[in-house]
Amino acid sequence: TTVEVPRVATVANTSISFWRMMGRAVTLRCPRCGSRRTFLRGWFRRYDRCRTCGVKWQREVGFELGAVTMNTIVTFGLLTIMMTVGFIMTSPDIPVLPFVLALSATALVVPIVIYPFTYTMWLAFDLAVHPVDEVEALDAAIAVEPAP
């Protein structure tokens, strides 16, 4: 008997540019295949894999730490920009209470708003640094293969 290798397994070594994967990620599409049927199930829930290409979003133990780190970096970066612009625009009489309230609201809202984006962006970064190998591609293909 012959074993038929699923078609998706053959795209393991396909080179997709970092910027293309990141572009897909910021539009909440799978960085690997570009599908909107990605691993996101809702704003805070995820499937184990992309429902189109089968790539796992959690490719190794501790993968979520990267997404959380990316969320923190983006949030702190935005807060830094807001503080700098706010100080420059209101100096020398800085309205402290409105300033603190605006920054606090930003610090609470932004991580929630960008939460799913940081997962797809981190997956894009991880795929650029550690491309899918043949074993992972075969595993992904088997996972999305329709049942007989």
Side-chain angles (χ1 to χ4, degrees):
T1 60
T2 57
V3 176
E4 188 175 317
V5 177
R7 182 189 63 80
V8 182
T10 62
V11 298
N13 294 325
T14 301
S15 176
I16 304 169
S17 77
F18 171 77
W19 294 112
R20 183 169 186 157
M21 286 192 292
M22 198 56 73
R24 291 173 175 177
V26 297
T27 58
L28 295 180
R29 295 182 306 164
C30 175
R32 181 175 179 229
C33 69
S35 171
R36 293 204 180 275
R37 288 179 32 91
T38 185
F39 56 84
L40 298 171
R41 184 182 292 196
W43 210 254
F44 297 107
R45 295 175 32 202
R46 294 169 298 282
Y47 295 101
D48 291 338
R49 301 171 175 273
C50 171
R51 293 172 290 156
T52 302
C53 71
V55 70
K56 286 184 177 181
W57 67 266
Q58 189 171 16
R59 298 179 71 206
E60 57 190 31
V61 176
F63 186 81
E64 287 183 325
L65 182 60
V68 170
T69 301
M70 186 165 280
N71 194 310
T72 303
I73 290 169
V74 170
T75 301
F76 283 13
L78 182 60
L79 288 171
T80 301
I81 291 168
M82 287 178 64
M83 284 188 291
T84 303
V85 169
F87 284 144
I88 291 171
M89 290 179 64
T90 61
S91 185
D93 298 322
I94 299 168
V96 176
L97 184 60
F99 205 72
V100 168
L101 292 175
L103 291 172
S104 297
T106 301
L108 291 172
V109 171
V110 168
I112 295 168
V113 170
I114 67 171
Y115 182 80
F117 296 93
T118 57
Y119 273 86
T120 55
M121 289 167 58
W122 182 250
L123 180 58
F125 177 79
D126 190 59
L127 287 169
V129 174
H130 302 110
V132 174
D133 60 17
E134 291 293 329
V135 174
E136 187 178 3
L138 183 59
D139 179 53
I142 291 169
V144 295
E145 186 176 309

